Amino acid sequence: MSTPEADLSLFIPIIQTNPLAWKMRQNASGFAPLNQKYGQNDKEEYNEGDALHRALEHIRTVKEKGAVEERHLQTVEDIAWKSGLAPEDIDTLLDVALSGPFAEAVKTRMLKCLIPATLIPESAVVRAFSRLCASNCSNNTKVLFFRWLIAMFDFIDGKEEMNSLYGFFFSFLQEETMSCYICNFLYLLTKRENVKPFRVRKLLEFQSKVGMQPYLQALLSLYRSFCPDLITISLPPKRKFYFKTTDSIWQAAVCIVKERNQKSPLPSVKLTIGTAYSHPQKKKWNSGCVIPMPTSSHVSKEEQDEEGDSSSLEVMLSGQKSFPLEQLHTFSQLLDNIQDVELPSQMCSVLKSAPLLHYLNCIQDETVWLRLSYWMSQELKEGCTWCKVSNYTSEEEFRKFLDIIISAQCFLQEGFPSSEVFLYKSLPLWDGISCRTEYLQLLSWIPLGNFSEIKPLLCDSLTQLFFTSSIYHKCSVLYSLKQLLENWLLWHAMKVSMKSTLSISADTPMIALNSVSELIYYVGWLSTIALRLEKNSSFLLHFILDFFEMVSDMYLNYNLPLVVIFPRGVFYPALLTSDSIALNRLCYIMYRYRVNLTASKENALIYQERLKFNKTYQEFNEYVTALVDCLWTSTSFEKDHYLYIDPQILEKTKIREYKKSLNLINHPALLPYSINFLLQVKGWPNEKELSLSSIQKKKWNWYLDYLLLEELHGLHLFMESSLDIADSASSAHTHPAHKTPKTCMSEPV
């Protein structure tokens, strides 16, 4: 590997000439400068601003190589790492680093301490680039400059002047040692007007020379999104990552400065449409998961401190017709000025503005989503508290950052691709505790896709964590999977409603059917094993039944031609539970399954797949028969029935009349109702003993009415639909054991 390539590994190597960063990290009391007198107040008061000014003046006046004094260079490094550099200091340091007579090691140290305290002036970047082109800088210096530009792209206060130099930036693409960084920078800078036929030809020529590299694929994909007619070649499938990780040394430095300069808590993440702040906030540089408020890209930092009239005057004088984002607070304002809205240069700020999120849904510019996705993927990767090397972002800060993303996803009713990639990458390292609520909420917004592709990325790691965690974590995961299923069903219902007006791929319904069914089977498998591990916990059972209550109504509520029955490992624990609420919910779910199965017989797609649905009918009929055998006919333990047990084993339990131990009177979940019913009816306590058998002999109708009055509506609906007894009290009273269940018959095959 060549020397330039050796210095461009995924993680930036330690600066051999300056161990400042690592010494600051190792300071137990927090980050402190290397020279301790800068952080203390000894006999002689130290003025940081004067020291930096003297150091920069000395460096600026150096005329020959090797004349720079180490102490002045050390002063600049210490102050930059401690407090950051002001915009004018960054301009000065860029000037001397790229045009001064310094050794390459000195230039490298200067470039690596370009850490902004607030913003980086765009004019400084333009002047620095002109000096880079005019001076005889080495390739290593050029590479380091572009790496710095990429890492600090969001801190630059404007992009228009830089965009006017697009052709000059593009010309550096021919240098192979810089091509990956140039493509990354162009990916951030490109607008629709930058895509020209001659540039596409240059990219294709370069691609034929070096092969289809990920960074070239990214830039070509962006070009094709702007001008599909210019790129006719087929590109490989989309990748999760195109570029190398953002340079960690600058990210660490930015976090250090933020820790020292920024003590105010993060603002609220609630998205509202209404009157917001009376005065626009100043622009904040974005780092460490801090998202600034949206500000117009043409408004400078000083102008934002003044009243809104001055910024409006500048817009009029400049001839630009753009509505100031600082004044955009309501949806009605967006409708009145939608043609004049210009998105901010810091795309991340749209996440905190409800009107701008509405605006994102209206525009068709793919580059906006690409910019937002690129920024979000970097922030999630570097801010994650359980899968990174440095600990500059606290868990509370990262939690609030995730809340902002979740709020935006709920507002848009769709997940971001970046958060999906983050889930797949970080899930194997997640401990199941850190940011659990927010992390599982991200899981519920995974977009509907091919489940066979999602399963190895998501389910393998999630399964291991699920089985080794507490019951409360299991319930949280099941709730998130229920929300994921609901979002997929809503997405499918929306696509079906749009099918008449838009061209929908014929494969889309089948993808939805297969993915939804595979997700249900996966949750059923998880639930079966979880109930065994947790000894059929009623608490866990309620979350499982909550999931399958939604599954039972998929056909009618979401227009999905699919009916999936829950597994035996869920049905029988719910049937034999001692929790009356769980038993009532089981009966209600069985009732909804009957309604959906009956309605689905008219569906043409289900008729085509009738062989598959015959099995569904058979499973449903098995469950109906088992329920009736237990609750109604008291034949569940007889031979050829689903719960048959050898009579010799049952006799050893010493339960009297064990055949009736699971009926409506003696079932463990309904026994308290039976006893309470006898305590309320007339004839007791005059009777010598509390006889449960008297309910079936004399008070059967009253008991059924009593169960209905006790809010056991699911039980009532199941009996009404499966036994047809609601309007036939006399028949129910005389011979309940002679009733047979009404099974749901499938169409003949």
Side-chain angles (χ1 to χ4, degrees):
M1 184 181 293
S2 63
T3 302
E5 290 294 329
D7 192 44
L8 300 179
S9 60
L10 185 61
F11 298 100
I12 305 302
I14 302 172
I15 310 173
Q16 300 298 331
T17 57
N18 181 17
L20 168 66
W22 291 104
K23 289 193 177 185
M24 293 173 76
R25 295 182 192 184
Q26 294 168 358
N27 192 324
S29 60
F31 297 110
L34 185 63
N35 192 339
Q36 296 299 323
K37 75 175 184 176
Y38 295 160
Q40 300 174 356
N41 195 1
D42 297 330
K43 296 179 181 179
E44 180 182 356
E45 183 178 359
Y46 176 75
N47 191 308
E48 188 178 84
D50 291 343
L52 181 62
H53 178 71
R54 289 194 298 270
L56 290 176
E57 282 296 323
H58 168 77
I59 294 173
R60 186 187 297 174
T61 56
V62 172
K63 299 298 184 182
E64 58 184 18
K65 196 171 185 178
V68 62
E69 295 185 17
E70 172 67 22
R71 64 185 181 91
H72 291 297
L73 187 58
Q74 187 70 61
T75 297
V76 175
E77 288 179 328
D78 291 346
I79 294 176
W81 274 80
K82 177 187 174 185
S83 307
L85 299 179
E88 58 273 12
D89 296 331
I90 289 181
D91 191 5
T92 301
L93 198 58
L94 272 173
D95 183 15
V96 296
L98 296 177
S99 60
F102 304 112
E104 185 173 338
V106 175
K107 291 183 178 182
T108 299
R109 291 174 65 181
M110 290 181 183
L111 290 174
K112 287 187 176 181
C113 64
L114 288 170
I115 303 157
T118 53
L119 291 171
I120 299 173
E122 183 186 14
S123 56
V125 176
V126 172
R127 282 193 292 271
F129 180 67
S130 65
R131 293 185 182 95
L132 187 76
C133 296
S135 60
N136 189 21
C137 293
S138 66
N139 279 344
N140 284 348
T141 302
K142 294 177 181 178
V143 166
L144 192 60
F145 174 73
F146 279 104
R147 280 166 50 188
W148 176 79
L149 274 183
I150 294 166
M152 301 296 171
F153 189 81
D154 278 339
F155 308 148
I156 302 173
D157 61 1
K159 308 294 188 300
E160 295 301 322
E161 294 181 22
M162 291 168 55
N163 194 269
S164 64
L165 299 175
Y166 190 92
F168 292 95
F169 291 122
F170 191 88
S171 64
F172 280 86
L173 193 62
Q174 301 302 320
E175 301 187 30
E176 292 188 21
T177 57
M178 301 173 57
S179 57
C180 61
Y181 299 102
I182 297 299
C183 284
N184 194 345
F185 180 68
L186 293 176
Y187 186 87
L188 299 174
L189 191 65
T190 299
K191 294 183 178 181
R192 187 180 299 275
E193 56 267 22
N194 300 130
V195 182
K196 304 293 183 183
F198 72 91
R199 288 182 182 139
V200 173
R201 288 196 296 272
K202 287 289 185 182
L203 281 178
L204 294 177
E205 290 174 4
F206 189 64
Q207 180 260 332
S208 63
K209 178 181 178 183
V210 300
M212 181 52 74
Q213 301 295 330
Y215 50 85
L216 273 177
Q217 180 186 342
L219 193 57
L220 285 170
S221 300
L222 181 62
Y223 275 27
R224 187 169 65 177
S225 68
F226 287 130
C227 301
D229 55 312
L230 293 182
I231 299 179
T232 57
I233 65 169
S234 60
L235 296 175
K238 289 186 177 180
R239 299 168 57 95
K240 298 299 183 184
F241 295 104
Y242 289 108
F243 306 110
K244 294 182 179 181
T245 308
T246 306
D247 292 276
S248 58
I249 189 169
W250 282 305
Q251 293 296 327
V254 163
C255 292
I256 292 171
V257 173
K258 183 206 65 173
E259 287 287 336
R260 293 185 175 276
N261 298 345
Q262 201 168 353
K263 300 298 182 183
S264 58
L266 289 175
S268 172
V269 300
K270 184 177 180 181
L271 291 171
T272 56
I273 298 182
T275 304
Y277 302 99
S278 56
H279 297 285
Q281 292 187 351
K282 293 182 179 181
K283 268 189 180 179
K284 296 179 181 179
W285 51 276
N286 179 31
S287 172
C289 305
V290 177
I291 299 179
M293 297 300 293
T295 53
S296 299
S297 58
H298 61 270
V299 180
S300 67
K301 180 177 182 295
E302 292 78 9
E303 288 166 339
Q304 290 176 40
D305 295 332
E306 302 175 3
E307 297 297 327
D309 294 340
S310 61
S311 60
S312 300
L313 179 60
E314 188 211 351
V315 174
M316 275 199 305
L317 293 175
S318 63
Q320 298 179 6
K321 187 181 180 183
S322 179
F323 186 79
L325 297 182
E326 297 81 4
Q327 302 176 18
L328 183 62
H329 304 310
T330 64
F331 185 68
S332 59
Q333 286 179 315
L334 176 66
L335 293 179
D336 294 338
N337 302 277
I338 194 168
Q339 299 296 331
D340 303 326
V341 172
E342 179 183 348
L343 289 170
S345 58
Q346 290 181 303
M347 280 301 302
C348 58
S349 61
V350 303
L351 297 178
K352 298 177 68 175
S353 171
L356 286 180
L357 288 175
H358 275 302
Y359 182 69
L360 284 184
N361 267 342
C362 298
I363 61 176
Q364 301 296 323
D365 194 348
E366 188 176 346
T367 184
V368 173
W369 293 101
L370 289 172
R371 286 175 57 195
L372 187 61
S373 178
Y374 178 82
W375 166 83
M376 192 179 298
S377 63
Q378 296 296 328
E379 286 296 320
L380 286 169
K381 192 190 316 180
E382 293 157 4
C384 181
T385 55
W386 60 85
C387 60
K388 64 176 187 174
V389 177
S390 57
N391 294 317
Y392 298 126
T393 304
S394 66
E395 181 176 336
E396 183 63 25
E397 190 176 20
F398 188 59
R399 187 192 306 274
K400 293 180 179 179
F401 176 64
L402 292 179
D403 279 333
I404 294 175
I405 295 178
I406 293 166
S407 298
Q409 290 185 152
C410 293
F411 190 85
L412 295 171
Q413 287 297 294
E414 62 177 325
F416 295 116
S418 302
S419 62
E420 180 189 7
V421 173
F422 166 71
L423 278 172
Y424 299 152
K425 293 290 185 180
S426 61
L427 186 57
L429 302 174
W430 186 45
D431 58 4
I433 300 174
S434 303
C435 306
R436 180 166 69 187
T437 302
E438 293 76 17
Y439 195 73
L440 292 177
Q441 281 184 284
L442 287 181
L443 186 149
S444 65
W445 285 106
I446 293 176
L448 176 59
N450 194 330
F451 194 79
S452 61
E453 298 176 359
I454 297 174
K455 188 174 182 179
L457 298 172
L458 175 71
C459 298
D460 293 347
S461 300
L462 187 64
T463 300
Q464 297 176 17
L465 198 61
F466 181 84
F467 290 143
T468 56
S469 299
S470 67
I471 185 174
Y472 303 104
H473 177 79
K474 290 182 176 70
C475 295
S476 299
V477 171
L478 289 172
Y479 180 74
S480 298
L481 292 174
K482 179 208 167 189
Q483 289 183 308
L484 175 63
L485 176 64
E486 183 178 12
N487 289 332
W488 284 9
L489 293 174
L490 289 172
W491 181 89
H492 171 77
M494 181 190 67
K495 290 295 182 182
V496 170
S497 64
M498 296 169 57
K499 192 173 182 180
S500 58
T501 56
L502 298 176
S503 176
I504 304 296
S505 171
D507 296 333
T508 300
M510 293 309 301
I511 292 175
L513 286 173
N514 294 333
S515 297
V516 169
S517 62
E518 288 296 325
L519 176 62
I520 295 171
Y521 293 140
Y522 172 68
V523 175
W525 175 74
L526 283 181
S527 304
T528 300
I529 301 178
L531 284 171
R532 295 175 186 173
L533 292 174
E534 301 297 339
K535 299 179 180 179
N536 296 328
S537 165
S538 296
F539 183 67
L540 178 64
L541 186 59
H542 282 294
F543 282 88
I544 295 172
L545 293 177
D546 194 36
F547 178 87
F548 282 101
E549 186 174 328
M550 177 185 293
V551 172
S552 65
D553 256 336
M554 287 191 306
Y555 178 74
L556 291 178
N557 286 355
Y558 301 99
N559 201 18
L560 185 72
L562 180 68
V563 181
V564 181
I565 306 294
F566 43 28
R568 292 179 175 86
V570 172
F571 172 79
Y572 286 104
L575 173 60
L576 303 176
T577 183
S578 59
D579 186 348
S580 60
I581 299 177
L583 181 63
N584 181 65
R585 293 191 70 179
L586 175 66
C587 293
Y588 178 75
I589 292 172
M590 292 300 296
Y591 164 72
R592 293 310 305 171
Y593 269 128
R594 175 181 290 279
V595 173
N596 280 260
L597 282 169
T598 303
S600 66
K601 290 182 179 180
E602 305 298 327
N603 188 280
L605 182 58
I606 290 181
Y607 183 79
Q608 294 174 3
E609 300 289 332
R610 57 190 180 276
L611 282 175
K612 184 187 300 183
F613 277 89
N614 280 345
K615 183 179 178 182
T616 302
Y617 285 111
Q618 292 172 4
E619 291 176 348
F620 173 77
N621 290 336
E622 173 193 333
Y623 293 161
V624 170
T625 305
L627 262 174
V628 172
D629 287 348
C630 288
L631 300 177
W632 194 258
T633 63
S634 299
T635 58
S636 55
F637 297 117
E638 294 182 1
K639 197 171 184 178
D640 298 329
H641 288 257
Y642 294 104
L643 291 178
Y644 171 73
I645 301 176
D646 192 326
Q648 295 180 356
I649 298 176
L650 290 172
E651 288 174 0
K652 291 179 181 180
T653 63
K654 297 181 181 180
I655 299 176
R656 292 187 301 174
E657 298 184 352
Y658 61 82
K659 293 182 179 180
K660 298 182 179 180
S661 59
L662 294 177
N663 63 15
L664 282 174
I665 300 171
N666 299 295
H667 194 288
L670 300 175
L671 189 59
Y673 293 93
S674 304
I675 296 173
N676 193 52
F677 169 74
L678 287 177
L679 292 175
Q680 294 183 27
V681 297
K682 294 181 180 180
W684 196 91
N686 297 329
E687 298 180 2
K688 294 182 180 180
E689 62 179 8
L690 193 65
S691 176
L692 294 177
S693 60
S694 65
I695 296 177
Q696 192 165 352
K697 294 177 181 178
K698 304 176 182 179
K699 309 175 182 70
W700 181 253
N701 292 336
W702 293 351
Y703 179 62
L704 295 181
D705 293 337
Y706 171 76
L707 292 179
L708 182 59
L709 291 174
E710 290 294 324
E711 306 295 332
L712 297 178
H713 297 293
L715 184 62
H716 172 76
L717 289 171
F718 172 76
M719 291 190 299
E720 181 183 27
S721 61
S722 298
L723 297 171
D724 196 20
I725 65 168
D727 298 323
S728 181
S730 60
S731 175
H733 166 66
T734 53
H735 297 290
H738 294 164
K739 287 288 180 180
T740 57
K742 292 168 58 179
T743 56
C744 193
M745 301 300 294
S746 62
E747 295 293 335
V749 179

